[in-house]
C-alpha cells in the first residue's frame, strides 16, 4: 500500500464548477500536510499548507481529518488556469511523502 | 524569492555513461533533496542532505550517488546510466526556519537513457 494515496483522475470539469480532491495517508504519526500544484512539464509548487482546523485561501479550502487520516482540497468557481496536477504531501520528521497526484482539467 | 536551478532541462545519454545532474539554490537552505518522478508513482526520494558533506539515502538510492561540497550545491551522479533511469529528476531545497518545512523545487531535468 502506498503511503499517500490519491485518486489519479483525470477530473474534467467546466469553468465555474466546484471540485474536490481527496487524499489518504497511512502513517498516523504524520505531522504536517500540504497541497502542491504541478503544471504540465513544470516543477511542483506549494499551493497551501493544511491545518487541523481547516484553512481557506481564496477559492481553495483544505481540510484535515487526523482520525481518518484523510486530507481534502476543494476548489470553488474553477478557472481555466486551475488545470494542473494536484499533489498531496505528508511530512513526518522532515520526511516528505508525495502522492502520485490528481489531474484536473477545467474546460470552457 | 527562492530560486532552485538545475543544470540541464533535457539530457540524452547512452547506457553505461556516467551522468552528473547539478542543483544550486540561492536561499542558504540547509536541506536539499533529489527525487525522481515517474507516471503513476509520484515523487520518490533518491538522496537527501541536511548539511555540507552530509548525505542520507532515500527510498531508491541504488544506482545513484550524491555530493554536497558546498551548502548551495547538491549533485546527483548516475555511476553507470541504465534505461530504467530514464525519468524526470527534481531537486528541492528547504529550511526549517519558522518551524514549517516547505520544499522549493527546481525546474527538473528530463533524462533519457538510450
Amino acid at each position: 500500500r502506498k503511503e499517500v494515496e490519491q485518486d489519479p483522475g483525470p477530473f474534467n470539469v467546466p469553468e465555474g464548477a466546484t471540485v474536490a480532491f481527496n487524499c489518504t495517508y497511512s502513517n498516523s504519526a504524520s505531522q504536517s500536510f500540504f497541497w502542491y500544484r504541478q503544471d504540465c512539464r513544470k516543477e511542483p509548487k506549494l499551493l497551501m499548507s493544511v491545518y487541523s482546523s481547516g484553512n481557506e485561501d481564496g477559492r481553495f479550502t483544505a481540510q484535515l481529518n487526523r482520525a481518518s487520516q484523510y486530507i481534502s482540497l476543494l476548489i470553488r468557481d474553477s478557472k481555466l488556469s486551475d488545470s494542473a496536477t494536484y499533489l498531496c504531501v505528508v511530512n513526518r520528521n522532515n520526511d516528505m511523502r508525495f502522492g502520485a497526484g490528481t489531474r484536473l482539467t477545467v474546460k470552457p | 524569492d527562492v530560486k532552485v536551478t538545475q543544470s540541464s532541462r533535457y539530457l540524452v545519454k547512452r547506457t553505461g555513461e556516467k551522468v552528473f545532474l547539478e542543483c544550486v539554490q540561492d536561499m542558504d537552505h540547509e536541506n536539499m533533496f533529489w527525487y525522481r518522478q515517474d507516471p503513476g508513482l509520484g515523487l520518490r526520494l533518491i538522496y537527501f542532505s541536511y548539511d555540507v558533506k552530509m548525505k542520507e539515502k532515500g527510498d531508491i538510492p541504488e544506482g545513484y550517488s550524491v555530493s554536497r561540497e558546498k551548502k548551495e550545491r547538491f549533485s546527483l551522479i548516475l555511476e553507470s546510466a541504465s534505461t530504467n533511469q530514464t525519468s524526470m529528476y527534481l531537486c528541492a531545497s528547504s529550511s526549517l526556519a519558522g518551524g514549517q518545512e516547505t520544499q522549493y523545487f527546481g525546474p527538473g531535468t528530463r533524462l533519457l537513457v538510450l
Side-chain angles (χ1 to χ4, degrees):
Chain A
R1 184 186 168 198
K2 292 180 185 175
E3 285 200 50
V4 181
E5 298 219 45
Q6 297 180 246
D7 181 342
F11 285 64
N12 298 309
V13 302
E15 264 187 296
T18 295
V19 60
F21 305 139
N22 302 320
C23 169
T24 57
Y25 60 96
S26 60
N27 191 333
S28 59
S30 298
Q31 296 159 324
S32 52
F33 309 88
F34 309 88
W35 284 101
Y36 275 67
R37 171 196 168 123
Q38 186 173 22
D39 293 296
C40 188
R41 297 188 173 274
K42 300 275 185 146
E43 72 274 22
K45 291 185 179 178
L46 179 67
L47 177 66
M48 58 196 299
S49 301
V50 186
Y51 302 116
S52 296
S53 54
N55 49 299
E56 194 172 300
D57 183 2
R59 297 180 294 108
F60 299 84
T61 301
Q63 297 275 357
L64 167 65
N65 184 324
R66 285 189 185 268
S68 301
Q69 294 178 205
Y70 170 96
I71 305 159
S72 65
L73 177 68
L74 182 77
I75 305 176
R76 289 183 300 278
D77 189 23
S78 301
K79 311 290 185 194
L80 296 177
S81 56
D82 294 335
S83 296
T85 297
Y86 291 83
L87 306 177
C88 175
V89 184
V90 173
N91 179 39
R92 176 179 167 270
N93 294 334
N94 301 325
D95 181 10
M96 303 278 270
R97 297 287 159 166
F98 290 78
T102 298
R103 189 169 165 193
L104 171 67
T105 301
V106 181
K107 300 190 173 181
Chain B
D1 215 18
V2 176
K3 193 162 184 188
V4 181
T5 57
Q6 294 182 228
S7 50
S8 306
R9 292 300 301 272
Y10 301 95
L11 271 181
V12 181
K13 296 291 182 180
R14 294 203 174 274
T15 300
E17 280 193 78
K18 193 167 185 175
V19 183
F20 293 87
L21 302 182
E22 300 277 333
C23 175
V24 177
Q25 50 94 6
D26 66 357
M27 282 301 292
D28 201 36
H29 283 172
E30 302 86 12
N31 311 324
M32 295 188 76
F33 307 83
W34 274 107
Y35 295 90
R36 62 179 281 177
Q37 185 176 29
D38 300 288
L41 296 177
L43 276 76
R44 292 181 292 167
L45 182 64
I46 304 171
Y47 266 98
F48 60 99
S49 169
Y50 287 153
D51 204 351
V52 177
K53 296 200 187 285
M54 177 269 180
K55 59 185 178 184
E56 292 285 344
K57 292 181 180 179
D59 297 318
I60 50 163
E62 297 78 20
Y64 303 94
S65 62
V66 290
S67 172
R68 188 139 182 229
E69 295 297 317
K70 294 185 178 181
K71 190 175 185 180
E72 68 270 18
R73 188 179 296 268
F74 192 34
S75 303
L76 179 69
I77 301 141
L78 285 65
E79 298 292 342
S80 176
S82 62
T83 54
N84 63 12
Q85 291 179 310
T86 291
S87 188
M88 167 76 130
Y89 289 88
L90 288 158
C91 174
S93 73
S94 72
S95 172
L96 281 174
Q100 180 82 311
E101 178 175 343
T102 300
Q103 290 197 4
Y104 297 89
F105 286 86
T109 297
R110 287 193 176 273
L111 173 66
L112 173 62
V113 183
L114 300 173

